[in-house]
Amino acid sequence: MTLIKSISGIRGTIGGSPEDGLNPLAIVKFVAAYATFIRKNTKVETNKIVVGRDARISGPMVKQVVLGTLTGMGFDVVDIDLATTPTTELAVAMEGACGGIILTASHNPKQWNALKLLNERGEFLNAAEGAEVLRIAAAEDFEFADVDHLGKVIPNATYKQKHIESVLNLDLVDVEAIKAANFRVAIDCVNSVGGIVIPDLLYALGVKEIFKLHCAPHGNFSHNPEPIPENLTEISDLMGHAKADVGFVVDPDVDRLAIICENGEMFNEEYTLVAVSDYVLSHTPGNTVSNLSSSRALRDVTRAHGCEYNAAAVGEVNVVAKMKATNAVIGGEGNGGVIYPASHYGRDALVGIALFLTHLAKKKMKTSELKASYPPYFISKQKVQLTPEIDVDAILAKVKEKFSQYDITDIDGVKIDFPDKWVHLRKSNTEPIIRIYSEAHTMEEAEELGGQLSFAYALLNDSNTGFVMNCIHSREGSYTYIKDIVRGECELPLSEEEAEAVKNAIASNSPQPTTTTIAGGKKIRKINKSKAQSEETPSKKEAVAKKKSASQSTTKENE
């Protein structure tokens, strides 16, 4: 079981002990802490808190515990039940509520659920506010209401339609243009709340032909719910069979939007925000914001419109704060999250769909042609599983030191900006992993760069940091060079056990398995400098002999 407590909310797998999973006791503690925080800090006097949930299997159980806890703390609860994250955010503002709780684990698999906490504006709590909720929960510094001051539950099923109407009323959404385009649209709603709102939105926008995948909201997700290419093969195949013009895929709480081209290829989730921003900037010039792990394409498109781009730390609350500070007209995150202040300050796939379809209709292009009109970048998204013994901060500090001659941003992990590419290493707020994102003009370059840093991260510890990072950073020291070391074609003193572990870790050029095998305790011994210097320039004859020996050894192993 897992329970992750962070400033962005409480997330975990269902079951377990109070400190090890998301179960009724853990839910009561954190909801009571949130209610205490709201009571002390809100300026709204309605005494209402809105609660919405996605369709995952644990949703009804979690909701009942949340409703009971909030009424037990003396709040009236507006229960909007099955609702998207952006719908719940809008409901808080429309109700004039003191806050809101969204019961969703976003893109995580079905065994996960979470409590996402909102303020009276329907926006996520900031870092200081989230930390205060965690403090109250840890100290159990809360008190329940007496019998005469218990709250009540107020069911309200109207907010799905109110959300759709708010999207239709946006100035830049052109229903007539969409209707005239006669789009054929395929959708995949991954068996969650997208299935009850996306079809209705599309019909309201004038789309007559909709091809549906996984729209029944039973929460038993038909595939991994994260809307990334490897999970979207079904809708990719459907595009050709249905002769669809565009495909839309959402995550379980509908705050992320992935787009599929008419030929079945991915529009690329990074380019959801890019395309929508291009359309918005062409009508309302202004600043844009995305997070540090998002594509440079948004920066390029923004500058092409004569406007200014700014980057924020990863996390919706950080992007929103930067958008407000820079008065941005559009922003979001490269995971398909579109934040359009003319609607509200929250990622919203409904808004993204409406603006994208308007843009596509006015451009009179195929979806693939629109994608081809934007600067070509490729992002590799890799991850490293964390184990308790890994000192994340120390390793990031070493990475920062070794690449100090480049443009370094450290407001959220470490991002290294090279002239024509970048790589970003950061600890996830929602999973026990390190995310390593890299971008270049080809996928091969992006994967190579991410592979270098992923592999180094897995190998690094206090004894070998300097050597491994120098291997990577030197002109000859690429990811390929490190693999040559492991193959026996370069000198590096490893025990048989260590060498075998490294070989297994980089099988198929995949750095991800490195993490648990190497970072879980395998260590590369420090090299004696004088020995290294004397052996690093062997004669050509010696080098050929070593390579031949290694090749013969490899052949025998394969046999």
Side-chain angles (χ1 to χ4, degrees):
M1 298 300 170
T2 303
L3 184 64
I4 301 174
K5 310 165 193 175
S6 74
I7 59 172
S8 61
I10 313 304
R11 183 180 300 242
T13 52
I14 296 297
S17 66
E19 293 301 319
D20 294 327
L22 192 67
N23 51 57
L25 290 179
I27 294 167
V28 169
K29 177 193 282 191
F30 289 105
V31 172
Y34 167 73
T36 299
F37 170 82
I38 291 295
R39 181 75 70 197
K40 290 180 178 178
N41 292 280
T42 187
K43 297 177 183 178
V44 177
E45 299 179 357
T46 60
N47 199 47
K48 293 179 184 178
I49 291 179
V50 175
V51 174
R53 69 178 180 93
D54 71 12
R56 60 188 64 231
I57 296 168
S58 62
M61 179 277 288
V62 175
K63 188 185 83 165
Q64 291 305 318
V65 178
V66 170
L67 297 185
T69 304
L70 289 174
T71 56
M73 292 294 294
F75 280 97
D76 295 332
V77 184
V78 181
D79 175 17
I80 65 174
D81 200 37
L82 288 172
T84 73
T85 284
T87 302
T88 309
E89 292 168 345
L90 284 169
V92 170
M94 291 178 179
E95 279 285 337
C98 303
I101 301 179
I102 309 160
L103 313 179
T104 176
S106 299
H107 63 276
N108 291 127
K110 68 178 183 179
Q111 67 268 30
W112 289 77
N113 213 327
L115 312 175
K116 290 186 175 182
L117 311 177
L118 304 175
N119 60 24
E120 67 270 15
R121 296 183 300 278
E123 300 167 13
F124 290 113
L125 303 186
N126 62 33
E129 293 165 342
E132 176 61 8
V133 172
L134 294 179
R135 184 201 67 76
I136 295 171
E140 297 189 359
D141 186 16
F142 44 78
E143 185 174 330
F144 292 94
D146 62 40
V147 70
D148 293 320
H149 295 90
L150 297 174
K152 60 182 180 292
V153 176
I154 308 165
N156 189 326
T158 66
Y159 278 101
K160 179 190 79 170
Q161 188 57 36
K162 288 178 180 177
H163 188 180
I164 291 173
E165 290 171 358
S166 75
V167 172
L168 299 178
N169 289 331
L170 292 171
D171 289 342
L172 293 188
V173 172
D174 191 333
V175 175
E176 292 306 315
I178 296 171
K179 189 181 298 184
N182 288 317
F183 289 129
R184 296 165 62 90
V185 178
I187 59 174
D188 179 350
C189 297
V190 73
N191 303 116
S192 192
V193 291
I196 64 175
V197 68
I198 300 301
D200 286 357
L201 170 70
L202 291 171
Y203 287 131
L205 288 169
V207 176
K208 296 181 178 65
E209 294 184 272
I210 304 173
F211 304 90
K212 303 175 185 178
L213 278 177
H214 312 311
C215 286
H218 51 63
N220 199 10
F221 306 140
S222 296
H223 58 75
N224 186 309
E226 187 166 15
I228 54 178
E230 53 263 41
N231 301 329
L232 306 181
T233 55
E234 277 187 274
I235 190 167
S236 182
D237 291 340
L238 176 63
M239 297 301 293
H241 298 310
K243 294 183 172 54
D245 299 297
V246 62
F248 295 120
V249 184
V250 294
D251 64 337
D253 66 326
V254 199
D255 63 352
R256 291 173 59 178
L257 173 64
I259 300 170
I260 317 296
C261 297
E262 80 289 343
N263 56 11
E265 295 180 358
M266 300 297 113
F267 193 83
N268 189 323
E269 62 178 350
E270 291 289 334
Y271 282 77
T272 298
L273 177 59
V274 173
V276 171
S277 296
D278 181 32
Y279 172 62
V280 170
L281 292 174
S282 67
H283 291 82
T284 54
N287 298 331
T288 66
V289 172
S290 65
N291 67 42
L292 288 171
S293 286
S294 298
S295 176
R296 279 183 178 175
L298 178 62
R299 180 202 67 179
D300 295 352
V301 167
T302 301
R303 290 177 177 175
H305 283 281
C307 303
E308 183 179 344
Y309 164 81
N310 290 279
V314 174
E316 183 172 323
V317 65
N318 299 315
V319 174
V320 167
K322 178 65 78 171
M323 289 178 69
K324 290 180 177 180
T326 59
N327 197 30
V329 297
I330 185 73
E333 300 188 277
N335 58 9
V338 174
I339 302 173
Y340 186 42
S343 175
H344 65 118
Y345 277 106
R347 296 186 307 190
D348 192 330
L350 279 73
V351 169
I353 288 171
L355 291 174
F356 184 87
L357 284 177
T358 302
H359 187 33
L360 191 63
K362 290 179 178 292
K363 281 286 189 179
K364 300 185 186 302
M365 288 180 170
K366 292 180 179 179
T367 307
S368 60
E369 292 171 343
L370 181 62
K371 168 64 168 59
S373 70
Y374 296 121
Y377 289 103
F378 295 84
I379 285 189
S380 170
K381 298 185 178 183
Q382 304 176 29
K383 57 188 176 183
V384 173
Q385 292 291 333
L386 289 179
T387 54
E389 64 270 25
I390 298 176
D391 187 342
V392 176
D393 293 334
I395 296 175
L396 289 179
K398 291 290 186 181
V399 172
K400 180 180 174 182
E401 177 185 344
K402 284 295 177 181
F403 290 92
S404 59
Q405 72 268 43
Y406 296 103
D407 186 9
I408 301 287
T409 305
D410 60 2
I411 61 173
D412 183 11
V414 173
K415 182 176 183 180
I416 309 163
D417 270 295
F418 303 97
D420 58 346
K421 54 193 173 187
W422 58 260
V423 63
H424 186 201
L425 298 83
R426 58 177 293 276
K427 186 176 179 180
S428 172
N429 292 325
T430 58
E431 298 177 72
I433 60 175
I434 291 292
R435 297 191 186 277
I436 302 180
Y437 287 9
S438 51
E439 182 177 65
H441 284 293
T442 69
M443 182 56 78
E444 290 75 16
E445 285 183 277
E447 288 178 345
E448 174 84 1
L449 181 59
Q452 290 175 23
L453 271 295
S454 295
F455 188 76
Y457 195 99
L459 291 176
L460 293 181
N461 59 56
D462 289 341
S463 67
N464 64 35
T465 296
F467 174 76
V468 176
M469 291 307 296
N470 280 330
C471 283
I472 292 172
H473 188 52
S474 64
R475 184 170 181 178
E476 70 275 21
S478 66
Y479 187 36
T480 303
Y481 177 65
I482 296 176
K483 289 189 290 185
D484 287 343
I485 291 174
V486 177
R487 293 189 184 108
E489 296 171 12
C490 297
E491 285 295 313
L492 179 63
L494 294 175
S495 69
E496 290 184 8
E497 181 184 17
E498 290 168 339
E500 187 62 29
V502 176
K503 288 178 183 178
N504 292 337
I506 60 172
S508 302
N509 292 345
S510 174
Q512 186 170 338
T514 322
T515 57
T516 50
T517 304
I518 305 300
K522 306 292 182 187
K523 294 185 178 181
I524 308 300
R525 293 194 303 277
K526 204 170 188 176
I527 296 175
N528 180 284
K529 288 186 178 180
S530 60
K531 181 180 179 183
Q533 289 168 354
S534 65
E535 293 183 354
E536 66 184 0
T537 55
S539 68
K540 186 174 182 181
K541 184 176 180 181
E542 289 173 332
V544 170
K546 286 177 183 175
K547 188 168 184 178
K548 182 176 180 181
S549 175
S551 176
Q552 291 171 343
S553 175
T554 303
T555 302
K556 289 178 181 178
E557 288 176 7
N558 290 338
E559 292 174 349

